[in-house]
Amino acid sequence: MRPLRKPLETVTSLFRSTPKKVGLAPGALVYVGRQKVEKPAITFIDYSDDHLSVETDVSLDDCKPLKDSPSVSWINLDGIHEIGAVEDFGKTFDLHPLVLEDILNTGHRPKVEEFEDYLLIILKMLSFDEQSNQIQSEQISLVLTRNNVLSFQERPGDVFDGVRERLQRKSGRIRQRGPDYLTYALVDSIVDSYFHILEKIGDRLESLERELINQPTQDTLQQVYHFKGQLIYLRKAVWPLRELTNSLLQDEIVLIQESTLVFLRDLYDHSVQIIDTLEIFRDTASGLIDLYMSSVSHRMNEVMKVLTIMASLFIPLTFVAGIYGMNFELMPELKWRWGYPMVWGVMLCCAFGMLVYFKKKKWF
Amino acid sequence: MRPLRKPLETVTSLFRSTPKKVGLAPGALVYVGRQKVEKPAITFIDYSDDHLSVETDVSLDDCKPLKDSPSVSWINLDGIHEIGAVEDFGKTFDLHPLVLEDILNTGHRPKVEEFEDYLLIILKMLSFDEQSNQIQSEQISLVLTRNNVLSFQERPGDVFDGVRERLQRKSGRIRQRGPDYLTYALVDSIVDSYFHILEKIGDRLESLERELINQPTQDTLQQVYHFKGQLIYLRKAVWPLRELTNSLLQDEIVLIQESTLVFLRDLYDHSVQIIDTLEIFRDTASGLIDLYMSSVSHRMNEVMKVLTIMASLFIPLTFVAGIYGMNFELMPELKWRWGYPMVWGVMLCCAFGMLVYFKKKKWF
Amino acid sequence: MRPLRKPLETVTSLFRSTPKKVGLAPGALVYVGRQKVEKPAITFIDYSDDHLSVETDVSLDDCKPLKDSPSVSWINLDGIHEIGAVEDFGKTFDLHPLVLEDILNTGHRPKVEEFEDYLLIILKMLSFDEQSNQIQSEQISLVLTRNNVLSFQERPGDVFDGVRERLQRKSGRIRQRGPDYLTYALVDSIVDSYFHILEKIGDRLESLERELINQPTQDTLQQVYHFKGQLIYLRKAVWPLRELTNSLLQDEIVLIQESTLVFLRDLYDHSVQIIDTLEIFRDTASGLIDLYMSSVSHRMNEVMKVLTIMASLFIPLTFVAGIYGMNFELMPELKWRWGYPMVWGVMLCCAFGMLVYFKKKKWF
Amino acid sequence: MRPLRKPLETVTSLFRSTPKKVGLAPGALVYVGRQKVEKPAITFIDYSDDHLSVETDVSLDDCKPLKDSPSVSWINLDGIHEIGAVEDFGKTFDLHPLVLEDILNTGHRPKVEEFEDYLLIILKMLSFDEQSNQIQSEQISLVLTRNNVLSFQERPGDVFDGVRERLQRKSGRIRQRGPDYLTYALVDSIVDSYFHILEKIGDRLESLERELINQPTQDTLQQVYHFKGQLIYLRKAVWPLRELTNSLLQDEIVLIQESTLVFLRDLYDHSVQIIDTLEIFRDTASGLIDLYMSSVSHRMNEVMKVLTIMASLFIPLTFVAGIYGMNFELMPELKWRWGYPMVWGVMLCCAFGMLVYFKKKKWF
Amino acid sequence: MRPLRKPLETVTSLFRSTPKKVGLAPGALVYVGRQKVEKPAITFIDYSDDHLSVETDVSLDDCKPLKDSPSVSWINLDGIHEIGAVEDFGKTFDLHPLVLEDILNTGHRPKVEEFEDYLLIILKMLSFDEQSNQIQSEQISLVLTRNNVLSFQERPGDVFDGVRERLQRKSGRIRQRGPDYLTYALVDSIVDSYFHILEKIGDRLESLERELINQPTQDTLQQVYHFKGQLIYLRKAVWPLRELTNSLLQDEIVLIQESTLVFLRDLYDHSVQIIDTLEIFRDTASGLIDLYMSSVSHRMNEVMKVLTIMASLFIPLTFVAGIYGMNFELMPELKWRWGYPMVWGVMLCCAFGMLVYFKKKKWF
């Protein structure tokens, strides 16, 4: 188990994004995220049943022929902070300005939207930074046209390597099928990656639970709050997924062939499974906080009891000792032969009576 | 980060408005807000594809010709506390008395209502006063007729400057399109402004979170309560927005052209995004309160432990000292040669035993 | 701000009513409320476009001719504890025994029910007793027939004076329209009166909030609980209102003319607005309780700190003083020349060390 | 107000029943309750417009002719623990084995189920044992056939005496109508009895509220928990009632005549009213627990303040006294003429200063 | 009542499973559970109205003829960790790769999915390990084809022995009916077994409740948390059951004969009953935690009172004793004849006054 470290960022910071200026025309392109890559890079994979060509770092012009070619092409753009590049891209593939606005608005809610000639899918690609125990989010936009899949990422590096490998294999099912199946495969990769994040969060929660049971500290508690915040964030990214897959299934979308529906149904099941686990994790995190609070109460109680026992035992005795420490000239007891032992007797009886009382009250 | 100041108003005061007299006829015009401007002022922008005229501080009579002119006119009334002015306005544009009542009832819930010849949209324009950390609300009513958009504001100053600028530009899309698109543009400006308010509240929440983690005070907590109240208020203004945009989309409203629907869909997405963020902020605020409470518990625990350790260590010792401060004539120990060092020995052992015990209990 | 007084009644008592005997035939008439007026009294207002007659304290026989007269009549019965009177009334106007049972069952939920020839609307008329800070509830049943509106009240005094005034004015819209509009006007008066109750409760909540922030006492808290109870009660009366107005709108009720629908839509808006405010008040009241609890925790913390500082400072010092109060014959320090100042020195150092420690812990 | 006694049973025990063996064939008859009567007893009431015969303790054979006779018969079986008897009953009246299984499964959820020739209604008859403050539950199953109503009870004694009386009266509506009305009358009796239980629980809650406000003890709290448990239990029995009555209304059930529908609508209203009250009682019970907790906090606070004031006042004074109790040979103050009064002066100032400080802090 | 033992595992560990690699092709078979049996074992029961053959430990080839034989066959595979075996199985019976993936994904949510020729039902078989107080879960997948039922289990041992026995009996209904009834019988066995688990959890909760009322310890509380975790887990397994049975009822599934529907309706009732009980158990567990917390508060209060009474009584007295322990040369009281008794008098008055004050405050 790797050590738990103090969170580096506040929970609130997770949920904030810079809004665009008020009153801008709709479709006015503004990138609201942070610049995450130096230069946008275009790569494409063009394939059909019997051929495959993979090109990296091409120009937009290289992609133009792909637009109407019958083979399936997956064109990927890494880095969307250069608005001009995205705009050109949009013009080349006839995308509505509002689509481009959605692609650039990296705080957008995951959604699917059908247009006349294409389908827009917006998703969050999540990763879990083990150093900072922080979820990193990146917006992926997929546009499914008749022959192509366009994907837009904020920065290089994604969870699609498995899909790329499968495209290489000539015999794979993915090579036989159309762009709708490719889209499914990409979305499926993202959803699969959510399971891995859940596993890591589960790891952390389990080690936090152990800490809380054995030796709870205020620090552990802040960690739990931190994870609860992460779960709220994850929830925001994952909940719309169910709607999204469901509307892919329910709406009779022209661009999706019927043979792909069985896979989408599988995707829907996975979304529900992820949401279920997420909800349970939230319940568990809440339970951990309650456990901590009750554990703190319990400890306080213990401390109080010790204090009360000590004070209640000795305060009366000290009083008795104080009495015979007085300097009155006429204190007959002081002269008595057995005065001192008697006082001891009185004090011991008194202490013993207290102890019996506390024992009866089950204080120790 | 600007300093957090104590809220100036109670949370409850946010939600109150003066109701009109019971039993008044429906449509009886009563203004329930406070007077916020000296004199109502009418301005209009009349435009079509190839002309634009902007007039400020005109009389109602100047607007009459606009009513049936084919060009699109946006007529704005600032200051609705003068009931007579609103009534005249209503008569000029054939508005139902209930519509006027709704416009004047500044505590009204955001809504959209279709009438035979026009469409009424009631919205809240919000602003965040950085001085008092208080959300300011102003009711905006929009009436979309065949050729005109009428807007009613409580006071001058709004979030529509972006729209006005775009109207100036001859090439802009807004000049080509009808009053339904103008209405959309106005509503969109308001919705965009909500993102800015959310950003400011996010700012404050983040700084409150930092304060709570580092050095929580009762004052910080009252600030969190204050913000929670603001979020409840915001929620009241924003929740109906989803319904509102949705019913604009779903109902086949004659006055809205089909080409505007894609923009309304975008608006709907934004409403959902705002509500999502709002809900998350509420969760976060609740989490902050829990964090504060647990932090207070933790501190109390710390304090208790110090008290218990000090008291438990010294009370028995003081008792022992008290014993040998007694003035009995016959106390053999007092005469012993090593009596004094022995007492010190007993006391040190006793204190050491305590410390070991507390150490074992992990109290320090 | 009027002073807040201790509630006179328990919250639970608000929700209780005496049920009728088990197994009675349905339609068996039993009055479950308390008798609130000595003798039932019938009054009617008969009006049409061009005439108006108002009669008070008439007999049932006087009302018979109104039943089939073409003019609109509003017949009101104050005092429904005399079952015979209600039964006669029912027979005269052909009401189903179950309708009469509902009218007498003053614990009934607000509802609307359509019968073949008439429409039954049951509502709660609420008032807020400023003396006892208690909501008073009275059940109003309205029966809308083809030409008449029958209203049943538990006791004299209602919120309909505005309607009566408007009926007097010859030019008013209400005189031109049928009994459905009169019914609407009556329901509208009741709904308007809810706004006034909300305002009063808002008043109280605000003053409670102020008290809680400035100087919370256990008494203030009990007041908040009391108001929370009142809000639960109000909720019970108001929630069904939305359903009620909605079903008036949705169901195509024969007795309601289409021109009245626009007013009902207005009524529906108002119901939603009331429910919204109510929910917010409940949230606010819950928030106040949390605020009180955290404020109590905070105070406890303060008190604990003072105790701990005092005790931790002086207990060790007292111990030191106790040491040199012992009467051992051989205590070399007692003989030292600088013994006394040295002890003072030790004690001051010790106290100073403590203060520094507490300061570092930010306890004061 | 009768005294509140400690609950005799745990809350959990309310919700438990012994399940049947796993893997038994469906329809295998197993009685899961406790035997509550020595011998099953059959009684019937056969009536039509003009005759009535009541027979108690008859054999099953006596009932056979009733099955196809045109008059309405209500056949009641008390004691369903003898599986054989129930099975014979089932065979005589052609009931499906699954129906019998449901009748015997006394932990079954209230429901209505339509079969080809008959309608099964399962309900809970509740009573409130004033001795143990415990709700007693008994399952009633009603089977409505074309001419008969069969009822199955766990033990003798029910809430149907009112119905039996009404059947005796020749002129009563119930004699004119069919078995569907009788079924309604029986269900109505049960629902009426719920109001009485609610009244008793209201009684108890009110007296608990009074206790909590005046003198809360741990015992009172356990009572509130006990009642909360009872309310959860009641809820389990009552919630399905709404669905049940609703499905009687909505589904076009052949065996229910249209003229009975108006009564069922009344029944539905009552179910909703019961559920409303129940929910409010739950809210109230939760509120009581909160009130107790805050009251305990408040008391703790009070206690802490007294402790702190006492300790803070006297600990420094005792220290001063301790100082001058030391036996140093050289303590100049001891020799001073005004030493003793001066010490008193110092101590009084010190105490006075403390009191002023506490007063300023509003601690008393 | 068996003793309650400390939970052996964390609650979080219950909810975790190892996800498959990201980006694998859908239908790629990966077993995500732990290997629970050495070698997969196939058994089948082939039966019709008049014959029955039971074979254990057969090879897949032995099963092939069963596929198209008209008799009903139930083929069971214990141990699904050998992917090859499952794949062969799938090929033999023409199962879609996604079905096999679901069968192997032991973290799958219970569901029903209809394919062209068969129906897939995924369920959780639960058992309660009395040693560790831990719920054990095993995934059961049932595939209903035209003539066969295929079942896949993670390890040997199940709850189907009752079904096997009923299959042996020649006269049983199950022998007369098709594979849909067999499927129903298997699902019914699993659902029945849930009742037994609920009973055991009820046992535990009841004994925990008793412990909490009599002598709450921190350990009891951790047990309650543990059970709450188990209930959340159970909920995850059981909630989908309602949907599942409901969709079996609602969708017109070809493979399910109409005569089986009445049994499925019964199954649906049972699912609802289980969910009801589960929800109540969760409420009860939450209530127990509240009870513990309030009980802890109460005890703390008790402890505080004793401490306060002791300290407040004796601290002033000790102060008085301290006064007259001072060694001033001029303390006139010390010389007085009645000085010592007077001091006693003062101290007794003081103590008595305190006691009266505390009594009035109802502190004991």
Side-chain angles (χ1 to χ4, degrees), chain A residues 46 51 63-73 146-148:
Chain A
D46 185 65
H51 93 278
C63 301
K64 265 183 199 159
L66 299 172
K67 194 186 157 194
D68 299 306
S69 81
S71 62
V72 180
S73 312
R146 196 166 312 274
N147 292 314
N148 304 319

Side-chain angles (χ1 to χ4, degrees), chain D residues 17-161:
Chain D
S17 60
T18 323
K20 65 172 198 176
K21 234 182 100 237
V22 175
L24 273 188
L29 300 185
V30 187
Y31 177 62
V32 304
R34 273 172 293 171
Q35 178 175 342
K36 283 167 181 159
V37 61
E38 227 164 286
K39 221 179 77 62
I42 302 176
T43 57
F44 72 79
I45 302 181
D46 184 66
Y47 66 92
S48 69
D49 200 353
D50 48 10
H51 93 279
L52 175 85
S53 71
V54 181
E55 301 283 338
T56 59
D57 238 329
V58 296
S59 73
L60 193 55
D61 292 327
D62 299 334
C63 302
K64 265 183 199 160
L66 301 172
K67 196 187 156 191
D68 300 305
S69 81
S71 61
V72 180
S73 313
W74 168 21
I75 305 166
N76 180 60
L77 174 66
D78 282 332
I80 54 172
H81 60 279
E82 245 186 66
I83 294 166
V86 177
E87 210 166 3
D88 292 346
F89 215 102
K91 270 180 201 147
T92 308
F93 289 93
D94 299 327
L95 303 180
H96 194 282
L98 283 176
V99 168
L100 298 181
E101 195 196 329
D102 284 349
I103 289 172
L104 290 175
N105 175 5
T106 54
H108 207 291
R109 207 172 182 254
K111 71 160 179 179
V112 63
E113 195 169 355
E114 198 184 2
F115 290 82
E116 209 172 325
D117 291 324
Y118 49 89
L119 190 77
L120 171 68
I121 298 175
I122 291 182
L123 281 172
K124 301 287 168 191
M125 185 156 69
L126 302 173
S127 58
F128 188 79
D129 182 351
E130 312 234 345
Q131 288 317 95
S132 61
N133 282 334
Q134 200 83 17
I135 289 173
Q136 310 285 333
S137 164
E138 181 185 344
Q139 179 156 317
I140 301 277
S141 311
L142 301 174
V143 175
L144 166 64
T145 67
R146 195 165 311 274
N147 291 315
N148 303 319
V149 176
L150 314 178
S151 61
F152 299 82
Q153 306 190 27
E154 292 184 55
R155 68 184 151 224
D158 53 33
V159 296
F160 300 146
D161 289 335

Side-chain angles (χ1 to χ4, degrees), chain C residues 136-177:
Chain C
Q136 310 285 335
S137 165
E138 181 185 344
Q139 179 158 314
I140 301 277
S141 311
L142 301 173
V143 175
L144 166 64
T145 69
R146 195 165 312 274
N147 290 316
N148 303 318
V149 176
L150 315 179
S151 61
F152 299 82
Q153 307 188 27
E154 292 183 55
R155 66 183 154 227
D158 52 34
V159 296
F160 300 146
D161 288 336
V163 176
R164 287 194 190 93
E165 268 172 46
R166 275 149 60 202
L167 280 172
Q168 305 277 4
R169 270 178 267 137
K170 213 186 155 206
S171 60
R173 183 169 19 180
I174 199 167
R175 287 279 287 278
Q176 266 75 38
R177 308 190 67 145

Side-chain angles (χ1 to χ4, degrees), chain E residues 108-112 122-124 194 236-238 240-241 243-244:
Chain E
H108 208 290
R109 206 172 183 255
K111 71 159 178 180
V112 63
I122 291 183
L123 280 173
K124 301 287 169 190
Y194 290 174
K236 194 189 168 191
V238 172
L241 201 66
E243 283 170 49
L244 190 157

Side-chain angles (χ1 to χ4, degrees), chain B residues 136-151:
Chain B
Q136 309 285 332
S137 165
E138 181 187 344
Q139 179 158 314
I140 301 277
S141 312
L142 301 173
V143 175
L144 165 65
T145 68
R146 196 166 311 275
N147 291 315
N148 304 318
V149 176
L150 315 178
S151 61

